[in-house]
Amino acid sequence: MAGIKVHGSPFSTAAARVLATLYEKEVEFEFVPVDMRAGEHKKEAFLSINPFGQVPGFEHGDLKLFESRAITKYVANEYAGKGTDLVFGDSKKKAIIGVWMEVEAHQFDPVASKLVWELAAKPAYGMGDTDKAVVEENEAKLVKVLDVYESRLAESKYLGCESFTLVDLHHLPCINYLMGTEIKKLFDSRPHVSAWIADITSRPAWSKVVAMQKRQ
């Protein structure tokens, strides 16, 4: 099968999720930059990979995928014998990991993404003033999520189980942005959450994604 191609921007939280997974699995890939400012993600060439016109797009031979979490699961399973084991365990352990993957996607990410947009993306790209009402609303929602995380991480080293999995990895892109904003205080004030973040953000695979961002 032909090699892997990832189409996107390393600044995209969704694309960064996929890049981190590939680095964790030690799988070679070709990165194809997509200039979203020029609207390349809305042009026919990219829409043939992702009809919704959102990065990332993923190709592996004749397989075309979109939706970052579907891509990370494919990579983790396709290359189960390489690099970091990101999905494992018996059916019960996989079920618990699956629960926390859903928590990230439906409880954490919608709130964190809004905060990333208001506090990191808007100032960085000069896209208008931060909407303080949106920040206040979502900060309150994030507090509730992080209180649940603090309880979970008091009894488990990582969110899914005692080992680093896709659950933890999926959080990295948004956390990375939010640690550079006023939201950092919400993480720092919860010792188990703070220790978890220090652990996952220091992983060599994630450092490679951050290096890619710095090169762009």
Side-chain angles (χ1 to χ4, degrees):
M1 187 182 269
I4 289 173
K5 290 183 180 180
V6 179
H7 302 257
S9 162
F11 297 106
S12 152
T13 53
R17 212 171 274 129
V18 171
L19 295 170
T21 304
L22 288 163
Y23 282 131
E24 285 284 356
K25 297 306 291 181
E26 299 171 9
V27 176
E28 290 188 9
F29 64 94
E30 178 187 348
F31 182 68
V32 183
V34 176
D35 187 344
M36 291 188 287
R37 288 188 180 184
E40 285 183 2
H41 57 309
K42 301 297 184 185
K43 292 179 180 172
E44 194 172 330
F46 185 79
L47 291 173
S48 69
I49 303 169
N50 185 348
F52 292 101
Q54 297 170 316
V55 297
F58 179 92
E59 295 181 281
H60 190 192
D62 58 1
L63 177 68
K64 294 182 180 181
L65 298 175
F66 54 94
E67 294 298 341
S68 64
R69 293 170 186 81
I71 298 168
T72 64
K73 287 178 193 173
Y74 167 74
V75 171
N77 286 302
E78 179 70 8
Y79 295 98
K82 280 179 68 77
T84 307
D85 199 353
L86 296 171
V87 283
F88 53 84
D90 59 20
S91 58
K92 288 183 180 177
K93 184 174 276 189
K94 282 178 176 167
I96 294 168
I97 291 170
V99 166
W100 288 97
M101 288 181 80
E102 292 293 310
V103 169
E104 183 278 329
H106 301 293
Q107 303 291 339
F108 175 84
D109 190 68
V111 174
S113 291
K114 288 188 179 77
L115 291 168
V116 167
W117 174 251
E118 293 295 337
L119 297 171
K122 273 187 177 179
Y125 297 108
M127 302 179 86
D129 296 331
T130 296
D131 188 326
K132 290 180 181 175
V134 171
V135 172
E136 198 172 301
E137 177 190 345
N138 286 282
E139 189 171 331
K141 289 179 180 177
L142 184 60
V143 163
K144 292 179 180 177
V145 175
L146 293 180
D147 283 344
V148 174
Y149 281 21
E150 182 68 9
S151 296
R152 170 63 176 165
L153 291 165
E155 60 188 35
S156 178
K157 186 176 181 184
Y158 297 95
L159 281 176
C161 61
E162 287 300 313
S163 303
F164 179 83
T165 66
L166 285 179
V167 177
D168 311 288
L169 183 150
H170 286 174
H171 285 80
L172 276 166
C174 279
I175 283 174
N176 188 56
Y177 281 120
L178 291 176
M179 286 297 281
T181 73
E182 65 196 55
I183 298 302
K184 181 178 185 290
K185 67 180 184 288
L186 301 183
F187 300 134
D188 292 347
S189 62
R190 291 165 175 80
H192 294 99
V193 169
S194 182
W196 170 68
I197 289 175
D199 182 325
I200 65 175
T201 55
S202 65
R203 294 183 68 82
W206 180 248
S207 299
K208 290 178 182 177
V209 178
V210 173
M212 279 184 77
Q213 293 173 343
K214 288 177 179 173
R215 288 197 300 269
Q216 294 292 309

